Amino acid sequence: MAVRVQTDDFDVGAETKVLTKGRTDIGAVVTFTGTVRGNTPDTPISSMTLEHYPGMTETELERVEAEAAARWPLAASLIIHRYGTLKPGDNIVLVITASAHRQAAFQAAEFLMDYLKSRAPFWKKETDDEGRGEWVDARESDDKAAARWQTPSKVIT
Amino acid sequence: MAVRVQTDDFDVGAETKVLTKGRTDIGAVVTFTGTVRGNTPDTPISSMTLEHYPGMTETELERVEAEAAARWPLAASLIIHRYGTLKPGDNIVLVITASAHRQAAFQAAEFLMDYLKSRAPFWKKETDDEGRGEWVDARESDDKAAARWQTPSKVIT
Amino acid sequence: MTENSKPIKLMYFAWVREKVGRAEEHIEPPEDIATVGDLMGWLKGRGPEYAAAFERADVIRAAIDHTHARSDAPIASAREIAFFPPVTGG
Amino acid sequence: MTENSKPIKLMYFAWVREKVGRAEEHIEPPEDIATVGDLMGWLKGRGPEYAAAFERADVIRAAIDHTHARSDAPIASAREIAFFPPVTGG
């Protein structure tokens, strides 16, 4: 169980090794890596800048991770999210889940991604190849993806 | 799109790098690693031997991979399955799926695992700490997991 | 100054920050500003940059002391309130 | 020898292999053995090791020339037929 918010890149292989080293109770490890798309005819993006809300980001990611651990029998988990300016092909986010069985690992990883996409305070600004910056709009499909887990979100009302 | 059946170990980080190197059309990479559990009170397994059907194994894995590529817009995929004698903690199987969007990558990886578990001709024999070997029984839950994709399997009737 | 009118730290992110023209500030809203929604309405009246930032108030999200908060959430005990567009991380 | 009775390569895996006591063999079944199911029935009569291996014939799976085949699949054109327990890889 760990959460890291950083500008540095991460190494999915190294992080997986650290998480599973010496463990024989793990049967399944799922990793999700989100990367910057761009520089293609469809998406002429030359860079992406991620802004976040220090303090709240860590709180929300820890909450999301604790929620996953409460719902599935996880042996280990990790969330790393980068911020700052990234280029096409660069890593953005890493989620790793480890469990005795594959269904728990898969579901927890999907949940973590859906949930952090709808709750973690990050905002992406894309800069195109002519230097024009534009904030990325939230996708309704991401809210729907989070809603399918039907969990009461922590919200002040 | 590649399939490998081997006794050697694999490195999830290195394989991911090879698959995604220089690509800026990929937004999501999912990896699944299956490992040998054992040497715990619940599962006093000291080793596991995987037998397979050379020739048919490759054919089935390629078929499974092609089926996934037909169902989801995958930018890249990889299946590695080991055979031979393995110890608790050792890697057994690696599946990597890469796509522009995370849902496709997640679903394709789950599909590949469910499908290869019900079709790829591998058989596990567990050896306990007293040297007794026993063939692992197929789990009904694995057939159910494969059935949820509701795809007509390639079967001679 | 009554207890209700102690200064609150406001933080702005993404295009809300760009439109307001600052990342944070301390404010002392009037006592009748009871909720997040009230506060957005009050901020709108503070100048054209605020009016522009909070024009689409329905899409702006808020957090009170690092926790997501709805428009009807009370702000009486808040130390820090943040306003931002829907999140787009991951 | 008629065309139907050309030798077929049989392969056995996992506990089917262990019970039969060999990994592969070539056989020439009689002409009235038309399906995978027929073949399992015929093999059962070849000796106690085959009887033990195919005792639970309903759980044994088969493949014809590297493709999964049901019990009612015809074997007329088969070059290689494999018998094995339900797979447990992954």
Side-chain angles (χ1 to χ4, degrees):
Chain A
M1 300 274 297
V3 157
R4 301 211 300 268
V5 183
Q6 61 189 42
T7 54
D8 287 347
D9 195 11
F10 52 78
D11 181 317
V12 57
E15 298 295 347
T16 301
K17 280 205 181 87
V18 168
L19 222 60
T20 58
K21 194 174 168 62
R23 300 286 295 261
T24 59
D25 58 332
I26 291 172
V29 181
V30 170
T31 76
F32 175 88
T33 307
T35 55
V36 181
R37 282 184 298 145
N39 272 340
T40 64
D42 288 347
T43 45
I45 296 162
S46 62
S47 74
M48 172 174 283
T49 301
L50 277 134
E51 176 174 336
H52 81 116
Y53 184 176
M56 180 170 172
T57 307
E58 291 80 357
T59 301
E60 279 296 326
L61 292 181
E62 280 162 14
R63 213 184 325 249
V64 166
E65 196 181 43
E67 177 74 28
R71 294 170 70 125
W72 290 279
L74 298 181
S77 64
L78 173 68
I79 304 174
I80 300 178
H81 205 302
R82 298 177 72 189
Y83 63 96
T85 297
L86 306 172
K87 293 189 302 296
D90 282 354
N91 291 324
I92 301 172
V93 61
L94 174 65
V95 158
I96 306 183
T97 53
S99 182
H101 299 292
R102 75 184 187 285
Q103 284 88 352
F106 268 125
Q107 285 180 32
E110 281 197 74
F111 170 85
L112 286 174
M113 281 308 304
D114 286 346
Y115 220 48
L116 82 78
K117 266 192 170 285
S118 75
R119 299 190 55 86
F122 286 94
W123 300 274
K124 286 174 180 155
K125 190 175 197 172
E126 294 174 343
T127 302
D128 70 15
D129 45 11
E130 290 172 21
R132 276 186 305 245
E134 192 156 347
W135 292 99
V136 173
D137 270 334
R139 297 196 314 164
E140 202 187 338
S141 62
D142 284 332
D143 282 342
K144 281 189 185 147
R148 75 193 160 118
W149 302 104
Q150 290 182 315
T151 181
S153 298
K154 170 77 172 160
V155 178
I156 298 171
T157 54
Chain B
M1 299 275 297
V3 158
R4 300 211 300 268
V5 182
Q6 62 189 42
T7 55
D8 286 347
D9 196 10
F10 52 76
D11 182 317
V12 57
E15 298 295 347
T16 301
K17 281 205 180 87
V18 169
L19 221 59
T20 59
K21 195 175 167 61
R23 300 286 292 261
T24 60
D25 59 332
I26 291 173
V29 181
V30 171
T31 76
F32 176 88
T33 307
T35 55
V36 181
R37 282 184 298 144
N39 272 341
T40 63
D42 288 348
T43 45
I45 296 162
S46 63
S47 74
M48 172 175 281
T49 300
L50 276 135
E51 178 173 333
H52 81 115
Y53 183 176
M56 180 170 173
T57 307
E58 291 79 357
T59 301
E60 279 296 325
L61 292 182
E62 280 162 13
R63 212 184 325 249
V64 166
E65 196 180 44
E67 176 76 28
R71 293 169 71 123
W72 290 279
L74 297 182
S77 63
L78 174 69
I79 305 174
I80 300 178
H81 205 302
R82 298 177 73 189
Y83 63 95
T85 298
L86 306 171
K87 293 189 303 298
D90 282 355
N91 291 325
I92 301 172
V93 61
L94 174 65
V95 158
I96 306 183
T97 53
S99 181
H101 299 292
R102 75 184 187 286
Q103 284 88 352
F106 268 125
Q107 285 180 31
E110 282 198 72
F111 170 86
L112 287 175
M113 281 308 304
D114 286 347
Y115 220 49
L116 81 79
K117 267 193 170 283
S118 75
R119 299 190 54 87
F122 286 94
W123 300 274
K124 287 174 180 157
K125 190 176 198 173
E126 293 174 344
T127 302
D128 70 15
D129 45 13
E130 291 172 20
R132 278 185 303 244
E134 192 157 347
W135 292 99
V136 173
D137 271 334
R139 297 195 315 164
E140 202 186 337
S141 62
D142 283 332
D143 282 342
K144 282 189 184 150
R148 75 192 160 118
W149 302 102
Q150 291 182 315
T151 180
S153 298
K154 170 78 172 159
V155 178
I156 299 170
T157 55
Chain C
M1 196 193 290
T2 71
E3 191 157 359
N4 279 350
S5 69
K6 65 180 184 302
I8 297 173
K9 183 180 182 185
L10 295 188
M11 301 195 70
Y12 308 111
F13 292 96
W15 56 254
V16 178
R17 173 181 53 72
E18 288 181 344
K19 289 189 179 187
V20 169
R22 65 186 73 188
E24 57 180 83
E25 63 183 321
H26 288 81
I27 52 134
E28 292 185 39
E31 282 184 48
D32 62 331
I33 302 303
T35 67
V36 166
D38 293 344
L39 183 58
M40 282 202 273
W42 179 73
L43 285 167
K44 260 187 189 169
R46 296 187 82 209
E49 68 276 31
Y50 289 92
F54 290 94
E55 191 188 350
R56 293 195 289 154
D58 55 317
V59 305
I60 293 181
R61 302 289 188 266
I64 297 178
D65 296 329
H66 293 176
T67 298
H68 289 286
R70 292 205 193 134
S71 176
D72 56 0
I75 63 168
S77 60
R79 291 180 305 274
E80 181 174 306
I81 300 178
F83 292 105
F84 43 77
V87 303
T88 55
Chain D
M1 196 194 290
T2 72
E3 190 156 359
N4 278 350
S5 69
K6 68 179 182 299
I8 298 173
K9 183 181 182 184
L10 295 189
M11 299 194 73
Y12 308 111
F13 292 96
W15 55 253
V16 178
R17 173 181 53 72
E18 288 182 344
K19 289 188 180 187
V20 170
R22 64 186 72 189
E24 57 180 86
E25 64 184 319
H26 287 82
I27 53 136
E28 291 185 41
E31 281 185 50
D32 61 332
I33 302 303
T35 67
V36 166
D38 294 346
L39 183 57
M40 283 202 272
W42 179 74
L43 286 167
K44 260 188 189 171
R46 295 187 82 210
E49 69 276 31
Y50 290 91
F54 290 95
E55 190 188 352
R56 293 195 290 154
D58 55 317
V59 306
I60 293 180
R61 301 289 188 268
I64 297 177
D65 297 328
H66 293 176
T67 298
H68 289 286
R70 293 207 192 132
S71 176
D72 55 1
I75 63 168
S77 60
R79 290 179 305 275
E80 180 174 306
I81 300 178
F83 292 105
F84 43 78
V87 304
T88 54

